[in-house]
Amino acid sequence: MKRISLLLWFSLLAAPLFAQIQSPDAFLGYELGTHFSAHQKVVDYFKEVAAKSNNVKLQSYGKTYEGRELLFAIVSDPSNMERLEQIRTNNVAISNNDKSVKLTKQPVIVWLSYNVHGNEANSTETAMKVLYTLAEAKEEKVKAWLKNTVVIIDPCLNPDGRERYVNYFNSVVGTVPNPDPTAREHYEPWPGGRTNHYYFDLNRDWAWQTQIESEQRLRQYHQWLPQVHVDFHEQGYNEPYYFAPAAEPIHQAVTPWQRDFQVIVGKNNAKYFDENGWQYFTKERFDLLYPSYGDTYPLYNGAIGMTYEQGGIRAGLSVITADGDTLTLKDRISHHFTTSMSTLEISSAYADKLVTEFRKFFEQSLTPTTVYKSYVIKAQHISRLRKLAELLTKNKITYAFGSERTERSLNGYNYETKKVEQFRLERNDMVVNVAQKHGVLANILFEPQTAITDSNTYDITAWALPYAYGLNAYGVKEAMSGVHPFIEEQKKSVVNATKPYAWVLAWNGLEDAKVLMALQQRDIKVRMAEQAFTIGGVVYKAGTLLVYRAENEKRNSGFQQQLEKLLKDLSADFKVLSSGFVEKGKDFGSSTYRMLPVPKVAVLAGQDASSQSLGEIWHFFEQELNYPISILNISSAASLDIYKVNTLIVPDGYYGDKLAEQLSPWVTAGGRLILLEDAIGAFIGKKPFQIKRKEEPKNNDTKSVGSQTYSSRDHDDFSNSIPGAIYKVYLDQSHSLSYGIGKFYYTLKTDANIYETLEDGWNIGTLRSDSYVSGLAGEKVKRKISSGVLFSTQEIGKGQVLYLSTSVLFRSFWETGKQLLLNSLFF
């Protein structure tokens, strides 16, 4: 009896080591591909497999905005799993050019990213099948692959968006899926499941990391730095499968090996698709240029980055395609599973070469052949320079400030004038030397002009950070480095007046707006200087904020102590003035020091609104500004209460004819209406709104008529396109909309819209013949927008309309645009 008990005890102790891993079908309770699985079920399955396998490790790396878990599984041969941390640290050391690390026993790291777009929902189902197949490793060939590879499987990069799609689909699908493409289940409601909680496209956020999902994932990515990364997507359900090699334009920084291995992978994928008779295409549509994709970002960080696209958006569980075939979720899983395994197979076969070329990539990063070896970013705007430093830090790009001398004269390409000019390197100027580990990415983010080999690109073609951040910069052909790790802080004001006349506060960026908000939340009256003034030899710019002691002390006897504590707590940039008498400009009793009202802000949402534009506004207010905003259905526009909402933002979108009529009484009563991008179109020709779109004069040149060949039909008419180019906007610096920005604002132009001069209003931002800066823009577009208005305001009754015709919050990385929106809100 005792012996039996001991045997039973030992068998129970050993059971977990030999527990059989459940298949996805067994664990979920349904066959994979017959239902869309909830995210929590996927998480639970990954945890179940990790608990029962000695070749799987699970890494939880954060939560989404809605609180869903983000995680990935690491799978390899048990012998690799025993030394997993050593493999990881060795890989990072290789990227750091540590020559002591031997490559002979270093496996290749392959990272598989699934479901970055929530409604491309097949990918997460595929991830479970891939995990099970690798964890079981029943086939000898799979065991052999895992000896040479460490595989990282992220089952869902965007759980919030995917749950939005899955919950909708599961709520409307019948007992039997309806393959009719016109059926309700194939049409998800606005805003759809593609994007995350704030309606951001996470596949455009890799470099910018504005979203919490991206930021948390990229922290993990840089701890591993894989040699191969695949981003799994879906496209329209009528499309055949796409895999690498990619289409032109391909950035010139992509190495010959990175190009060659895409072909090698593509041929291996094609081998399996040919065996099954599955249709596919390569070298079309999906390019490698924009630096913030799930294929380009890895490429610019030393990996082989690739996108795979299965037809499947709106396909549900089953759909009849244009060819009359029925495409099922099972089919889609099979295709993604096949390319997943094919990629592991070929990566294992080329493991030594991949690791060797990985080392070579980072070796060459230290001896760049780029036009500019360094970039100097001037410190004329410290707040935005700090924001730029934060972005570079997230991307592991190193930088420093100033030089060993107090000032140093240099020659460089001036981003503002587009000429080589002499400039001085000063203490707080940022210096980025591209001879560094992440120098390839650094150069791509800073280069003033990107070489583009084909106009048929998939996204924007200009993104140079100095323009996006509104900071003048210089491209320098010599290698140079800064010497100071931090910006030199300005000395804070010392309060030495027993009875100050006023506290003067800067207005330059987001941090200053937070100070203003904190003051207004405490019912402190704040004024704004509409003109520059000089006191004590110091010039204070238009837009400077002022808090008068007397008018606030009447209402609160302890006001001064409270204010000084608040300003100290906020590390506010302020000065104390003992008199309202100025040396130049208007004295403080002048009406040019205008009292600032407290904005009560709302934004319209709904089917007519661009979810991306709405999401950018929503995210900005909640995550950056921390300011209350009401999100209203468009139907609420007709019944706005001026006492509850005095500022309304209408996002980019295409709105009906009634919106202008509905909002006109509210504006007349004192409302501030901010119209963004194509929202302006709903107000054209509607009284009392004066805005008019500028049309290009008819061109009688008939040379190009009928000149397009049939073979070029799939290419856009480039002369009429502008996929995303940077333009210099001339600002009226006397108007409050330009405060804190300067003479120019650099905008990302993604359409050909431009407007006539307002006869009864203020034309604040205009384009001129020399406004084009960089990026692709067709000749007809360039001609059309060579002059005209982009930003203007009009007073209607007691209210005001602001027409902002470009995306001021583009993907939340266009930092200077945030200043435009802040000025629109508070001034």
Side-chain angles (χ1 to χ4, degrees):
M1 186 69 180
K2 187 174 181 180
R3 181 174 177 177
I4 294 172
S5 299
L6 284 170
L7 287 171
L8 180 62
W9 184 81
F10 278 118
S11 67
L12 288 172
L13 184 66
L17 299 176
F18 303 99
Q20 187 170 357
I21 300 170
Q22 284 188 296
S23 69
D25 296 2
F27 181 84
L28 297 169
Y30 52 81
E31 186 182 358
L32 205 61
T34 60
H35 294 279
F36 284 112
S37 305
H39 181 69
Q40 190 56 52
K41 283 188 175 181
V42 178
V43 169
D44 291 343
Y45 181 67
F46 267 60
K47 290 180 178 179
E48 169 80 5
V49 172
K52 292 183 177 179
S53 173
N54 66 343
N55 66 337
V56 178
K57 179 183 177 182
L58 212 58
Q59 176 70 55
S60 179
Y61 65 88
K63 292 186 181 295
T64 69
Y65 284 113
E66 295 177 16
R68 295 184 176 90
E69 188 172 1
L70 296 163
L71 80 172
F72 57 74
I74 306 166
V75 191
S76 193
D77 182 79
S79 63
N80 289 332
M81 297 303 291
E82 289 175 2
R83 60 187 187 99
L84 188 62
E85 181 59 16
Q86 187 63 54
I87 290 171
R88 187 193 69 78
T89 55
N90 282 351
N91 198 62
V92 173
I94 292 168
S95 73
N96 291 332
N97 286 286
D98 184 344
K99 303 300 183 186
S100 67
V101 178
K102 305 299 181 185
L103 305 186
T104 50
K105 293 186 178 181
Q106 185 67 16
V108 62
I109 299 172
V110 180
W111 190 308
L112 306 178
S113 290
Y114 297 94
N115 234 131
V116 69
H117 291 149
N119 60 359
E120 300 172 12
N122 137 46
S123 302
T124 293
E125 311 293 335
T126 303
M128 289 188 281
K129 185 173 182 179
V130 171
L131 176 65
Y132 174 67
T133 304
L134 298 182
E136 278 278 272
K138 287 183 176 179
E139 297 181 74
E140 289 303 316
K141 63 179 182 180
V142 174
K143 290 179 181 178
W145 299 346
L146 292 177
K147 288 183 184 298
N148 296 330
T149 60
V150 171
V151 185
I152 298 175
I153 305 171
D154 190 330
C156 189
L157 278 64
N158 180 13
D160 292 349
R162 189 174 189 275
E163 284 295 273
R164 195 183 310 134
Y165 170 75
V166 168
N167 286 339
Y168 170 74
F169 183 86
N170 288 343
S171 72
V172 298
V173 68
T175 306
V176 177
N178 187 345
D180 182 350
T182 65
R184 178 178 64 161
E185 63 205 63
H186 299 295
Y187 290 88
E188 56 182 319
W190 186 93
R194 176 183 175 89
T195 51
N196 77 337
H197 172 76
Y198 284 110
Y199 310 153
F200 273 66
D201 185 335
L202 296 181
N203 192 40
R204 269 80 174 167
D205 193 46
W206 280 71
W208 321 131
Q209 298 174 52
T210 68
Q211 301 301 288
I212 195 170
E213 295 92 346
S214 305
E215 186 176 358
Q216 293 173 124
R217 184 178 69 256
L218 266 298
R219 282 197 210 110
Q220 296 295 322
Y221 187 91
H222 281 285
Q223 288 181 23
W224 284 93
L225 285 176
Q227 282 80 30
V228 178
H229 179 269
V230 184
D231 195 17
F232 289 86
H233 286 260
E234 293 193 88
Q235 53 190 325
Y237 60 76
N238 286 312
E239 302 291 337
Y241 200 100
Y242 164 81
F243 46 74
E248 293 289 346
I250 297 175
H251 196 283
Q252 60 190 359
V254 176
T255 69
W257 165 247
Q258 288 174 322
R259 285 174 175 259
D260 290 346
F261 194 71
Q262 287 209 349
V263 175
I264 292 168
V265 172
K267 286 181 177 179
N268 204 57
N269 289 340
K271 176 180 70 177
Y272 293 105
F273 274 58
D274 290 343
E275 287 176 4
N276 287 283
W278 296 336
Q279 293 183 30
Y280 58 90
F281 67 98
T282 67
K283 302 182 290 293
E284 293 182 64
R285 195 177 307 158
F286 302 103
D287 61 76
L288 296 174
L289 188 70
Y290 173 69
S292 201
Y293 281 140
D295 51 13
T296 52
Y297 188 88
L299 277 164
Y300 303 153
N301 282 282
I304 309 297
M306 295 174 289
T307 291
Y308 293 170
E309 295 264 0
Q310 161 67 41
I313 294 176
R314 291 183 45 227
L317 295 176
S318 174
V319 70
I320 298 171
T321 68
D323 293 336
D325 295 328
T326 300
L327 176 68
T328 67
L329 179 58
K330 290 182 181 180
D331 296 331
R332 292 150 60 194
I333 293 171
S334 294
H335 300 161
H336 263 348
F337 176 76
T338 298
T339 54
S340 298
M341 302 307 288
S342 167
T343 301
L344 294 181
E345 176 188 41
I346 203 68
S347 297
S348 175
Y350 281 80
D352 291 344
K353 178 70 171 174
L354 283 163
V355 176
T356 300
E357 290 291 336
F358 181 75
R359 167 173 276 178
K360 184 178 175 182
F361 177 93
F362 288 103
E363 286 175 346
Q364 292 176 342
S365 294
L366 299 182
T367 55
T369 58
T370 52
V371 175
Y372 303 113
K373 304 300 187 292
S374 308
Y375 295 95
V376 175
I377 302 90
K378 299 297 289 179
Q380 85 267 31
H381 197 297
I382 293 296
S383 175
R384 288 203 290 272
L385 190 64
R386 284 199 185 98
K387 294 289 286 184
L388 176 60
E390 289 174 12
L391 177 70
L392 299 183
T393 299
K394 286 180 181 179
N395 286 289
K396 311 301 179 186
I397 294 170
T398 59
Y399 55 88
F401 300 92
S403 71
E404 67 282 353
R405 297 197 294 269
T406 306
E407 288 188 349
R408 180 182 172 190
S409 293
L410 295 160
N411 287 317
Y413 174 90
N414 186 331
Y415 278 63
E416 188 173 293
T417 64
K418 297 196 287 186
K419 297 177 182 177
V420 175
E421 295 175 353
Q422 191 174 70
F423 70 97
R424 287 186 178 277
L425 177 62
E426 298 170 304
R427 167 60 182 85
N428 279 342
D429 293 344
M430 175 187 282
V431 181
V432 178
N433 186 332
V434 298
Q436 59 170 288
K437 175 178 176 178
H438 294 287
V440 171
L441 179 63
N443 184 67
I444 290 169
L445 294 180
F446 278 99
E447 59 186 355
Q449 296 280 350
T450 299
I452 301 170
T453 57
D454 193 312
S455 62
N456 210 38
T457 183
Y458 201 62
D459 209 277
I460 64 172
T461 58
W463 50 79
L465 293 180
Y467 295 126
Y469 280 71
L471 297 166
N472 197 24
Y474 292 86
V476 181
K477 290 188 176 181
E478 66 178 275
M480 54 181 295
S481 299
V483 297
H484 304 288
F486 305 108
I487 293 172
E488 185 177 50
E489 297 290 341
Q490 292 181 334
K491 291 181 179 179
K492 298 296 181 183
S493 295
V494 178
V495 179
N496 52 19
T498 54
K499 278 200 170 184
Y501 188 92
W503 289 261
V504 181
L505 301 141
W507 181 260
N508 288 312
L510 193 63
E511 297 309 313
D512 301 322
K514 290 180 178 179
V515 174
L516 172 59
M517 289 157 39
L519 295 171
Q520 290 184 331
Q521 285 168 3
R522 289 160 178 79
D523 204 24
I524 294 172
K525 292 182 178 181
V526 183
R527 293 177 179 268
M528 179 266 291
E530 291 185 317
Q531 298 176 17
F533 62 92
T534 303
I535 293 182
V538 178
V539 178
Y540 297 89
K541 298 183 294 185
T544 297
L545 305 180
L546 301 100
V547 178
Y548 293 175
R549 176 183 54 79
E551 70 181 3
N552 281 288
E553 216 166 42
K554 289 178 184 177
R555 309 159 72 200
N556 182 354
S557 59
F559 155 76
Q560 183 171 338
Q561 292 75 22
Q562 292 175 13
L563 175 66
E564 289 170 356
K565 182 180 184 305
L566 177 63
L567 295 178
K568 182 180 178 181
D569 291 344
L570 294 172
S571 298
D573 179 11
F574 72 97
K575 286 186 170 59
V576 181
L577 302 178
S578 59
S579 174
F581 184 86
V582 307
E583 296 158 17
K584 290 183 181 179
K586 303 288 180 68
D587 294 328
F588 285 2
S590 169
S591 61
T592 58
Y593 300 94
R594 184 157 52 86
M595 188 76 72
L596 294 178
V598 179
K600 300 172 184 176
V601 188
V603 61
L604 293 186
Q607 190 71 37
D608 296 342
S610 158
S611 58
Q612 174 183 313
S613 180
L614 170 63
E616 289 164 351
I617 297 160
W618 184 16
H619 176 267
F620 178 67
F621 273 81
E622 282 198 350
Q623 295 296 324
E624 294 196 67
L625 198 57
N626 193 23
Y627 195 84
I629 185 170
S630 297
I631 301 176
L632 306 178
N633 289 324
I634 294 170
S635 58
S636 302
S639 56
L640 282 182
D641 184 341
I642 192 67
Y643 296 104
K644 293 181 179 179
V645 175
N646 60 21
T647 304
L648 179 68
I649 304 173
V650 184
D652 180 30
Y654 298 94
Y655 300 88
D657 293 336
K658 294 181 180 179
L659 187 60
E661 180 184 342
Q662 291 170 338
L663 290 176
S664 179
W666 174 82
V667 175
T668 304
R672 177 179 301 170
L673 180 62
I674 302 172
L675 302 177
L676 300 182
E677 301 180 79
D678 280 317
I680 294 171
F683 294 77
I684 294 174
K686 307 289 173 57
K687 293 182 178 180
F689 305 96
Q690 296 181 1
I691 192 75
K692 293 179 183 177
R693 201 173 267 131
K694 184 177 181 181
E695 301 298 337
E696 184 183 15
K698 289 186 177 180
N699 187 1
N700 294 322
D701 181 12
T702 59
K703 289 181 181 179
S704 62
V705 175
S707 62
Q708 186 180 19
T709 62
Y710 182 71
S711 63
S712 65
R713 65 194 181 279
D714 291 332
H715 269 59
D716 295 332
D717 176 10
F718 176 59
S719 65
N720 282 309
S721 71
I722 180 167
I726 296 173
Y727 272 74
K728 178 167 67 177
V729 183
Y730 287 81
L731 295 178
D732 175 358
Q733 289 183 272
S734 68
H735 196 280
S736 60
L737 194 62
S738 69
Y739 293 168
I741 298 174
K743 290 164 56 178
F744 311 115
Y745 168 74
Y746 293 92
T747 189
L748 186 68
K749 203 81 176 74
T750 57
D751 60 37
N753 290 338
I754 195 162
Y755 297 87
E756 299 281 1
T757 301
L758 287 182
E759 294 180 6
D760 186 16
W762 305 106
N763 303 286
I764 302 148
T766 58
L767 295 186
R768 300 179 187 175
S769 58
D770 65 345
S771 283
Y772 167 78
V773 175
S774 68
L776 287 180
E779 286 305 314
K780 290 181 181 178
V781 175
K782 282 185 176 180
R783 188 164 59 242
K784 179 182 176 183
I785 63 177
S786 61
S787 66
V789 179
L790 290 185
F791 309 135
S792 57
T793 68
Q794 177 192 352
E795 293 179 6
I796 298 175
K798 296 179 181 179
Q800 184 184 41
V801 184
L802 292 91
Y803 304 104
L804 306 181
S805 68
T806 65
S807 177
V808 295
L809 296 178
F810 187 79
R811 295 177 186 167
S812 198
F813 84 90
W814 209 263
E815 202 65 32
T816 327
K818 296 172 185 177
Q819 187 70 33
L820 268 177
L821 187 59
L822 290 172
N823 292 343
S824 302
L825 292 169
F826 292 103
F827 292 168

